[in-house]
């Protein structure tokens, strides 16, 4: 056991004298004999002076070691140039060479019972000096040791100069502490200022972002008031789209708050990467198509399994895809690909958009940070998307990274997550297993809302189906007759021929009839479906999750149920 | 630092009693003060009483030896008195000799030695190793 008694710095000759006296006092307090005490104190004095003169200052630690023969030790350390050509000559008696620099060092070796020196050119010098204490006396009790250390610390200085030195020492220490505190305060202040600046910027952007959809809605309502019923479809579409936008903004905001408070819990399950990609593509298909951008999706043929919260991961990846579309000009290219690399699954979103300033990349994932290009562009969003992405990905024990060759050269974002254990061994639960589309499965999607139809078509294609879309009943019927599908997904409220009429016509003309899935914005009772039981195999209420549709398609045909 | 060790003049001799913990600068100041006083008073002998010193390390020892050499050049002999046995042992083990210094057990014997040295030719007094 080793008990430290006292630690002191050696920075000047006063310190050397002070350390020498302390060495002597410690020996006296430990009842070391007079000669032993003088030897120890002298050796400590020699080595401390060396530390100051040759090593540019150092420190000494006095300690008590409870070895079979108890030892009082002094360890003197400096960070100086070290000693060249040191040859241990400890224990050899007799006269030594008279070189002044080495008399103290070699002489000290003969003064003490234990002398250990560790030095190398340029690496400082560490010397351990120790005297054996009388084992018969035993070591002082812990209480006595505490008193001893207290006494050493409090002992009054004898001379005015020493008193001043002690005060100087304390003052310097206090000054150093003050300086450190001050530096910390300044750093905190800078951080706070930066945070406040970002917050102000954020509030300004938030104002814009909230006002834009709102003004679009009030404009639309004004149009409705003037133009009347005729403008209703367009007005409704605008209001619907803009409220979705508002909703999204508010969801983002709430997410940021929840993440900041650590209130988001993710529920990990085994999911296929392709499924996440499908959901993300569906969510963003509208925007991508509106800008006539080309989206290339590249997912490995064999399913890639990972443990993830499908909603939250889709949200993260969706944010990246949404950004890619937002910052890529019309008709630009976006690639979304999934790869497995070294036990990790990589989701990569590449775009040919405005690119990134490489210097700005490290801060990009911070809250409320937007690139310079964003500030000129009020459509850029709140500057919280990437922060949300990073937080969500971190909850999945993953990482997100960005890179870009520079402004105008496109950007690449990459989410890397651990693969599910036992990847490829088929241990995934049945729910997560993708519907094996072994034989050719043709699906016709009928919806007058092109965005919805295309989004759904993309998903189905990702799941391995062959898909055709139609925007009205007549076109759909023609497609059915030309190449009968195995599945039809149709919106009930079609212009012209309604979904119900279309379903009846299909059942009348295609044999065997396909699996029919009805989509509607209303429950069964309000959509006229209840009167037509048996016409549809399934009924999905809009908005529906692609997952729900997928599990329906994986099931054998069953009586129409409401999902 | 204006701390100094007092130097007493007693007839042709200078008497120094070190009662405080010696630090390096203090012993260097003593060296300067003593040589200056020896020259000013044309002192013939110097007696340094170190009976209060617990520890004499190599630097202090060497500086005391320097003082003896300097005063000798100025025509005065130096006698070191009151060295504690433990200090003497330590100096020997350190491998430090104190050339040019004469030693005596205590102040009284030191005075006698100085007297003797002055009665003979002080400048011819052959210094011997103290240890």
């Amino acid at each position: 056991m080793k008990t430290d008694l006292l630690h002191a710095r050696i920075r000047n000759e006063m310190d050397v004298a002070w350390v020498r006296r302390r060495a002597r006092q410690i020996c006296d307090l430990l009842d070391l004999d007079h000669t032993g005490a003088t030897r120890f104190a002298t050796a400590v004095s020699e080595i401390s002076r060396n530390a100051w003169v040759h090593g540019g200052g150092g420190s000494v630690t006095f300690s008590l070691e409870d070895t079979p023969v108890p030892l009082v030790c002094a360890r003197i350390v400096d960070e100086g140039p070290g000693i060249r050509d040191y040859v241990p000559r400890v224990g050899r008696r007799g006269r030594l060479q008279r070189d002044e620099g080495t008399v103290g060092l070699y002489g000290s070796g003969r003064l003490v019972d234990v002398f250990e020196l560790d030095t190398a050119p340029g690496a400082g010098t560490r010397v351990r000096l120790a005297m054996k204490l009388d084992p018969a006396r035993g070591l002082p009790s812990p209480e006595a040791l505490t008193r001893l250390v207290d006494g050493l610390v409090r002992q009054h200085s004898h001379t005015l100069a020493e008193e001043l030195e002690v005060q100087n020492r304390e003052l310097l220490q206090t000054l150093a502490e003050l300086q450190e505190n001050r530096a910390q305060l300044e750093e905190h202040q800078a951080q706070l200022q930066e945070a406040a600046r970002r917050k102000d910027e954020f509030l300004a952007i938030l104002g814009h972002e909230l006002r834009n959809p709102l003004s679009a809605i009030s404009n639309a309502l004004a149009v409705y008031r003037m133009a009347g019923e005729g403008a209703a479809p367009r007005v409704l579409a605008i209001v619907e789209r803009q409220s979705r936008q508002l909703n999204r903004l508010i969801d983002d905001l709430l997410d940021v708050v929840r993440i900041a408070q650590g209130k988001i819990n993710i529920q990990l399950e085994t999911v296929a990467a392709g499924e996440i990609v499908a959901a993300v593509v569906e969510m963003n298909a509208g925007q991508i198509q509106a800008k006539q951008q080309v989206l290339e999706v590249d997912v490995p043929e064999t399913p890639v399994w990972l443990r993830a919260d499908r909603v939250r991961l889709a949200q993260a990846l969706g944010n990246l895809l949404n950004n890619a579309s937002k910052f890529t000009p019309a008709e630009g290219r976006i690639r979304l690909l999934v790869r497995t690399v070294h036990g990790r699954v990589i989701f990569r979103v590449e775009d040919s958009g405005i690119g990134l300033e490489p210097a700005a990349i490290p801060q990009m994932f911070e809250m409320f940070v937007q690139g310079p290009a964003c500030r000129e562009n009020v459509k850029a969003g709140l500057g919280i998307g990437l922060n949300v992405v990073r937080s969500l990905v971190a909850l999945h024990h993953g990482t997100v990274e960005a890179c870009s060759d520079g402004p105008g050269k496109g950007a690449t974002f990459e989410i890397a997550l651990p693969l599910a254990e036992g990847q490829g061994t088929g241990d995934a639960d049945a729910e997560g297993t993708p519907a094996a589309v072994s034989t050719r499965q043709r699906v016709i999607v009928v919806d007058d809302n092109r965005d919805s139809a295309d989004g759904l078509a993309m998903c189905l294609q990702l799941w391995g189906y062959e898909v055709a879309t139609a925007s009205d009943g007549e076109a759909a019927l023609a497609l059915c007759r030309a190449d009968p599908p195995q599945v039809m997904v149709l919106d009930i409220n079609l212009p012209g021929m309604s979904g119900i009429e279309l379903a009846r016509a299909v059942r009348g003309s295609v044999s065997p009839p396909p699996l029919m899935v009805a989509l509607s914005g209303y429950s069964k009772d309000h959509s006229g479906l209840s009167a037509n039981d048996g016409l549809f195999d399934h009924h999905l209420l809009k908005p529906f999750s692609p997952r729900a549709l997928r599990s329906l398609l994986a099931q054998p045909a069953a009586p129409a149920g409401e999902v | 630092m204006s701390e100094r060790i007092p130097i007493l003049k007693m007839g042709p001799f200078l008497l120094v009693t070190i009662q405080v913990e010696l630090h390096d600068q203090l012993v260097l100041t003593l060296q300067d003060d003593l040589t200056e006083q020896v020259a000013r008073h044309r002192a013939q002998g110097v007696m340094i009483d170190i009976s209060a010193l617990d520890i004499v390390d190599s630097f202090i020892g060497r500086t005391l030896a320097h003082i003896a050499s300097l005063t000798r050049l100025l025509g005065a002999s130096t006698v070191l008195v009151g060295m504690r046995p433990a200090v003497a042992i330590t100096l020997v083990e350190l491998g430090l000799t104190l050339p040019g210094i004469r030693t005596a057990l205590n102040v009284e014997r030191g005075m006698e030695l100085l007297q003797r040295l002055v009665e003979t030719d002080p400048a011819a007094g052959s210094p011997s190793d103290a240890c």
Side-chain angles (χ1 to χ4, degrees), chain B residues 42-112:
Chain B
R42 305 210 172 116
Q44 295 177 320
V46 173
M47 185 162 71
I48 304 175
D49 176 9
I50 59 166
S51 57
L53 280 190
D54 266 344
I55 298 148
V56 175
D57 69 5
S58 65
F59 181 83
I60 298 171
R62 270 200 311 275
T63 313
L64 292 175
H66 280 164
I67 289 175
S69 309
L70 287 167
T71 53
R72 168 138 301 279
L73 286 175
L74 296 169
S77 301
T78 295
V79 175
L80 205 58
V81 300
M83 185 184 288
R84 296 187 181 192
V87 171
I89 294 168
T90 307
L91 285 176
V92 171
E93 293 195 331
L94 260 180
L96 197 75
T97 56
L98 300 177
I101 286 199
R102 289 166 184 278
T103 53
L105 198 59
N106 54 33
V107 176
E108 205 178 345
R109 299 266 178 90
M111 270 307 199
E112 286 169 20

Side-chain angles (χ1 to χ4, degrees), chain A residues 155-190:
Chain A
Q155 216 143 41
H156 262 291
S157 304
H158 292 286
T159 68
L160 186 59
E162 284 164 356
E163 194 75 60
L164 274 175
E165 175 60 23
V166 169
Q167 283 177 9
N168 268 346
R169 218 187 290 251
E170 284 167 1
L171 264 177
L172 283 174
Q173 199 179 343
T174 314
L175 261 178
E177 280 167 13
L178 266 177
Q179 256 168 1
E180 200 175 314
N181 285 346
R182 194 194 156 109
Q184 271 179 3
L185 277 177
E186 276 170 4
E187 195 180 320
H188 288 165
Q189 192 189 10

Side-chain angles (χ1 to χ4, degrees), chain A residues 13 20 45-46 49 110, chain B residues 22 24-25 57-58 93:
Chain A
E13 57 183 24
R20 180 200 304 153
S45 177
E46 295 295 336
R49 182 181 289 100
R110 285 190 305 274
Chain B
L22 275 186
D24 296 5
Q25 187 54 50
D57 69 5
S58 65
E93 293 195 331

Side-chain angles (χ1 to χ4, degrees), chain A residues 2-66:
Chain A
K2 189 176 136 190
T3 313
D4 279 352
L5 300 175
L6 187 67
H7 178 80
R9 300 233 255 156
I10 306 166
R11 287 162 305 189
N12 53 44
E13 57 183 24
M14 302 301 282
D15 288 340
V16 174
W18 187 87
V19 165
R20 180 200 304 153
R21 193 169 65 246
R22 285 293 189 256
R24 178 67 212 232
Q25 283 165 348
I26 287 169
C27 291
D28 289 347
L29 289 166
L30 292 171
D31 274 345
L32 192 67
D33 66 89
H34 195 64
T35 311
T38 303
R39 289 170 166 197
F40 183 66
T42 307
V44 166
S45 177
E46 295 295 336
I47 306 299
S48 299
R49 182 181 289 100
N50 282 352
W52 163 51
V53 174
H54 303 298
S59 67
V60 59
T61 308
F62 291 103
S63 60
L64 200 55
E65 289 184 17
D66 189 7

Side-chain angles (χ1 to χ4, degrees), chain A residues 68-146:
Chain A
V69 179
L71 295 173
V72 55
C73 297
R75 187 175 152 78
I76 298 159
V77 174
D78 71 59
E79 304 293 330
I83 306 169
R84 265 175 211 288
D85 310 325
Y86 171 72
V87 185
R89 291 184 238 177
V90 179
R92 202 189 296 170
R93 297 256 166 184
R95 287 171 75 107
L96 269 170
Q97 60 200 74
R98 296 212 174 200
D99 174 5
E100 294 192 348
T102 55
V103 167
L105 183 65
Y106 290 117
S108 298
R110 285 190 305 274
L111 289 177
V112 290
D113 295 329
V114 177
F115 182 88
E116 289 166 7
L117 185 138
D118 170 25
T119 183
T125 306
R126 292 151 294 281
V127 181
R128 180 168 167 267
L129 306 167
M131 292 301 272
K132 291 176 183 162
L133 297 173
D134 183 359
R137 287 179 187 272
L139 282 184
S141 66
E143 295 77 34
L145 268 181
T146 311

